[in-house]
């Protein structure tokens, strides 16, 4: 299967990808070389700005860098670490949803707005009220509703919350040793989904858990290697909702299928086996009649997990609508 590194000139990761005005726009995080020690809280990921990339030929064409469109210095409540973002369009405006640690080192979700998909993006003065954790992905459904999926464990601080209320200090208790992480056959911690308000600037409801269940309807357990860890994405295929995600420390991209944006989603299989680097983060998009998996790995940096490179390959379904597994390691 043909694979392509999209932007070898710089280290970028976590691609959220959409088709706007007939062109593919890529919204990645931006990795920087740093002196921070690699640890389970993600301190090695010193990301301080966003660029926008675009192309009209995914596998062969030029990838244009539209330059820096938002930086830490632009955001009033900035602490550190601009991690994975996503962008949604409504009524000719483009809304970037981004996670960032505030001045107390707690992840919140911010919004920045642009008049075109290439930015620049102007941030709102405050984060979304009641927001927490990382890895936002926005789905525009056929009825015009917008749903945002989010959440990530360990450094993403999701384990510090229950029912949208903090149960421990996210700035301190965000490691694999957190006492509030489930273990063994206890149900795994789920990601979250929330419908956005009409003005796209707030939650329209309380975030809800996104349950991934087995064929019998039982939630996947904490010791299941295919349970959710981070990097939510949702796309639709043949009228079904495909919820895909990273399993984090078991290093796979997996997917589950549901009948509505809230789930539950029934586990189906592995999209991408482990890559070089600690894990990967992805999006799935149709363009000009073909489906593509955008993700990243750390091959060009020699395996440094905090210096990642964008990658893309074609994605295929079988006759029953199952996604065919892609090998992450180049043979």
């Amino acid at each position: 299967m043909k694979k392509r590194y999209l932007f070898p000139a710089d280290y970028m990761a976590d691609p959220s990808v959409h088709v706007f005005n007939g062109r593919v726009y890529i919204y990645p995080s931006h990795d920087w070389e740093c002196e921070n020690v690699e640890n389970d809280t993600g301190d090695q990921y010193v990301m301080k700005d966003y660029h926008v990339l675009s192309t009209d030929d995914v596998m062969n064409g030029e990838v244009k860098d539209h330059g820096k469109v938002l930086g830490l210095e632009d955001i009033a409540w900035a602490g550190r670490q601009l991690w994975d973002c996503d962008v949604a369009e409504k009524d000719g405006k483009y809304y970037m949803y981004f996670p960032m640690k505030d001045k107390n080192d707690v992840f919140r979700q911010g919004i920045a707005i642009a008049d075109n998909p290439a930015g620049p993006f102007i941030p709102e003065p405050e984060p979304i009220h009641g927001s927490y954790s990382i890895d936002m992905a926005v789905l525009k459904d056929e009825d015009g509703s917008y749903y945002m999926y989010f959440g990530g464990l360990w450094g993403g601080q999701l384990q510090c919350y229950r029912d949208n209320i903090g149960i421990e200090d996210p700035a301190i208790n965000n490691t694999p040793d957190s006492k509030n992480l489930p273990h063994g056959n206890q149900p795994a911690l789920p990601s979250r989904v929330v419908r956005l308000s009409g003005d796209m600037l707030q939650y329209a409801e309380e975030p809800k858990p996104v349950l991934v269940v087995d064929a019998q309807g039982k939630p996947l357990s904490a010791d299941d290697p295919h349970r959710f860890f981070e990097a939510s994405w949702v796309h639709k295929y043949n009228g079904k909702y495909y919820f895909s995600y990273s399993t984090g420390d078991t290093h796979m991209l997996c997917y589950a299928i549901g009948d509505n944006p809230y789930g539950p989603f029934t586990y189906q299989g592995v999209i991408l086996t482990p890559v070089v680097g600690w894990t990967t983060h992805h999006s799935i998009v149709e363009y000009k009649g073909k489906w593509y998996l955008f993700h990243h790995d750390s091959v060009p940096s020699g395996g440094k997990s905090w210096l990642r490179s964008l990658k893309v390959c074609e994605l295929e379904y079988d006759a029953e609508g199952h996604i065919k597994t892609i090998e992450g390691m180049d043979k």
Side-chain angles (χ1 to χ4, degrees):
M1 175 179 290
K2 183 178 179 181
K3 302 177 182 180
R4 179 192 184 191
Y5 284 105
L6 283 165
F7 193 65
D10 203 350
Y11 293 113
M12 296 188 182
D14 308 324
S16 293
V17 181
H18 296 277
V19 178
F20 295 131
N21 305 321
R23 189 172 176 87
V24 172
Y25 285 85
I26 305 163
Y27 301 95
S29 57
H30 187 190
D31 286 345
W32 292 73
E33 182 66 279
C34 63
E35 297 178 357
N36 288 14
V37 175
E38 186 172 10
N39 58 36
D40 289 326
T41 63
D43 285 332
Q44 64 270 28
Y45 297 110
V46 183
M47 292 108 103
K48 47 193 177 183
D49 63 13
Y50 295 116
H51 284 230
V52 175
L53 310 176
S54 72
T55 185
D56 59 8
D57 184 343
V58 172
M59 297 307 297
N60 299 293
E62 176 190 6
V63 176
K64 180 178 180 179
D65 179 9
H66 296 273
K68 178 181 172 181
V69 297
L70 181 67
L72 280 172
E73 68 278 6
D74 303 320
I75 305 166
W77 53 279
R80 63 190 182 112
Q81 293 183 311
L82 288 169
W83 284 11
D84 165 79
C85 69
D86 195 14
V87 171
E89 182 275 335
K90 183 177 182 181
D91 298 332
K93 294 287 186 179
Y94 296 84
Y95 298 83
M96 174 182 282
Y97 300 88
F98 61 90
M100 183 183 64
K101 285 182 177 176
D102 63 16
K103 298 180 191 300
N104 295 315
D105 229 31
V106 175
F107 269 114
R108 307 295 182 194
Q109 299 168 6
I111 303 174
I113 305 171
D115 292 324
N116 69 76
F121 288 84
I122 308 303
E124 292 290 289
E126 300 289 340
I128 298 173
H129 178 71
S131 63
Y132 58 95
S133 201
I134 63 169
D135 287 2
M136 289 87 82
V138 180
L139 170 73
K140 180 182 180 181
D141 213 353
E142 277 83 357
D143 65 357
S145 298
Y146 291 78
Y147 298 90
M148 185 165 72
Y149 300 79
F150 68 91
L153 301 186
W154 301 358
Q157 303 179 346
L158 183 63
Q159 68 276 1
C160 302
Y161 297 84
R162 293 291 186 280
D163 299 321
N164 306 310
I165 298 173
I167 56 173
E168 53 182 38
D169 185 349
I172 300 173
N173 299 314
N174 56 0
T175 71
D177 298 324
S178 169
K179 63 182 180 298
N180 288 299
L181 279 167
H183 299 283
N185 62 5
Q186 294 177 317
L189 282 181
S191 62
R192 305 288 188 267
V193 58
V194 62
R195 183 169 52 83
L196 294 172
S197 59
D199 63 6
M200 303 291 281
L201 300 179
Q202 298 292 337
Y203 296 164
E205 59 189 2
E206 286 290 309
K208 298 173 172 59
V210 180
L211 293 182
V212 178
V213 301
D214 63 19
Q216 289 71 48
K218 181 181 178 182
L220 299 192
S221 62
D223 62 0
D224 190 318
H226 306 108
R227 82 287 182 265
F228 170 83
F229 188 97
E230 62 186 2
S232 303
W233 187 262
V234 175
H235 72 281
K236 294 189 75 173
Y237 180 76
N238 287 347
K240 297 289 187 179
Y241 296 81
Y242 284 62
F243 173 68
S244 50
Y245 55 92
S246 170
T247 63
D249 59 340
T250 61
H251 315 298
M252 293 176 283
L253 293 180
C254 293
Y255 77 106
I257 296 178
D259 295 320
N260 66 80
Y262 295 104
F265 296 89
T266 303
Y267 177 77
Q268 301 295 317
V270 175
I271 300 173
L272 183 70
T273 63
V275 300
V276 174
W278 193 78
T279 185
T280 194
H281 187 132
H282 72 297
S283 55
I284 296 172
V285 177
E286 184 183 18
Y287 184 59
K288 296 183 178 179
K290 291 187 176 182
W291 286 89
Y292 297 96
L293 173 71
F294 294 81
H295 63 103
H296 66 245
D297 68 23
S298 297
V299 171
S301 70
K304 293 182 179 180
S305 68
W306 63 93
L307 292 177
R308 300 161 294 177
S309 295
L310 298 173
K311 203 170 188 179
V312 65
C313 60
E314 288 189 24
L315 180 140
E316 297 178 337
Y317 304 84
D318 67 18
E320 287 74 43
H322 297 114
I323 296 174
K324 296 182 180 181
T325 300
I326 300 166
E327 292 296 325
M329 300 285 190
D330 291 324
K331 302 298 184 181

